[in-house]
Amino acid sequence: MKFNYILLLFVIFLAVSCSAWKDSLKSAGDQNDAIQNVIVDFLNTSNLSKKDSIFSIYVENLNDNILGISIGGDYNKLRPGPDDKIGNKTSLPSRYTEKEGKLFYWDDSTQVLTKELVDILSKYNVMDSVNIEGIVELPRFDSANHYKKGVHYYMCKNDYTSYKKVTTSIGMGHYDMPKLNCSSQ
């Protein structure tokens, strides 16, 4: 009897804690809101979130209805070129967030490279940077593991809470994406 009571309390606790993070997901907004949803889901459901402390995010418009967002542990050091200057739009990530002691970064084509971002990437040792007259100069690094698993999210553009995910070491677009019905929402 006591075991059944403890089991019931555990199930209720799981249901409440699960619904708390799911209730924080936004159904609409801009691309960064979709990314925030992915980060919340990833931290709460993926074992991969425990294996690293730095995660890169890649976003791709897969079609008119579906947004693809890939998240995985960082295995490459960033390699800026001579045109990557603070205050410019660059090929480097332009947004980041820290959650639960972990760094998540991604590119937002509407944003420029900031000193704040360079500082946070340096703090997490994603890159060693020296800011000389606005130029970010970095040493070259080799990538560690191209076959590391990540999670690919396939998200309805008209409802960011409607998504499917795949954990894989295969690149997004190199396998059949899951079926997702976005038109009826």
Side-chain angles (χ1 to χ4, degrees):
M1 183 68 167
K2 188 176 184 179
F3 175 75
N4 289 340
Y5 180 71
I6 292 172
L7 183 63
L8 177 63
L9 286 176
F10 180 72
V11 169
I12 290 171
F13 172 76
L14 280 179
V16 169
S17 65
C18 179
S19 69
W21 72 262
K22 283 191 174 190
D23 289 343
S24 73
L25 300 180
K26 293 182 178 180
S27 62
D30 64 16
Q31 184 171 290
N32 293 306
D33 292 317
I35 291 169
Q36 293 301 322
N37 282 5
V38 164
I39 293 170
V40 168
D41 179 274
F42 181 76
L43 286 170
N44 284 283
T45 66
S46 178
N47 289 334
L48 296 179
S49 70
K50 294 164 184 50
K51 294 185 178 187
D52 289 294
S53 60
I54 303 166
F55 298 91
S56 61
I57 298 173
Y58 174 75
V59 182
E60 184 177 346
N61 284 307
L62 298 174
N63 60 40
D64 290 342
N65 298 319
I66 299 175
L67 185 65
I69 301 176
S70 177
I71 184 170
D74 182 31
Y75 58 85
N76 284 320
K77 296 287 184 175
L78 298 174
R79 299 180 187 188
D83 295 332
D84 293 324
K85 297 179 183 178
I86 293 173
N88 289 352
K89 291 185 180 181
T90 71
S91 60
L92 296 173
S94 53
R95 287 208 185 248
Y96 76 93
T97 191
E98 290 179 283
K99 287 191 191 267
E100 298 182 16
K102 299 176 185 294
L103 174 68
F104 300 86
Y105 67 84
W106 64 96
D107 181 47
D108 179 343
S109 62
T110 67
Q111 298 296 307
V112 298
L113 182 64
T114 64
K115 181 164 180 0
E116 176 187 6
L117 180 61
V118 170
D119 290 345
I120 200 76
L121 293 174
S122 295
K123 171 186 167 187
Y124 279 88
N125 200 26
V126 175
M127 63 181 198
D128 294 328
S129 63
V130 178
N131 184 5
I132 302 170
E133 297 178 10
I135 300 174
V136 178
E137 296 180 3
L138 303 173
R140 298 264 179 207
F141 293 93
D142 293 324
S143 62
N145 182 356
H146 291 287
Y147 301 102
K148 197 171 193 176
K149 283 188 177 182
V151 182
H152 300 167
Y153 287 80
Y154 298 88
M155 184 173 288
C156 290
K157 290 180 182 178
N158 62 355
D159 181 2
Y160 294 157
T161 61
S162 178
Y163 58 88
K164 292 188 178 179
K165 58 189 172 181
V166 176
T167 301
T168 182
S169 61
I170 300 171
M172 188 179 280
H174 295 284
Y175 61 89
D176 293 334
M177 74 176 178
K179 302 287 183 214
L180 192 59
N181 184 4
C182 299
S183 58
S184 63
Q185 297 175 6

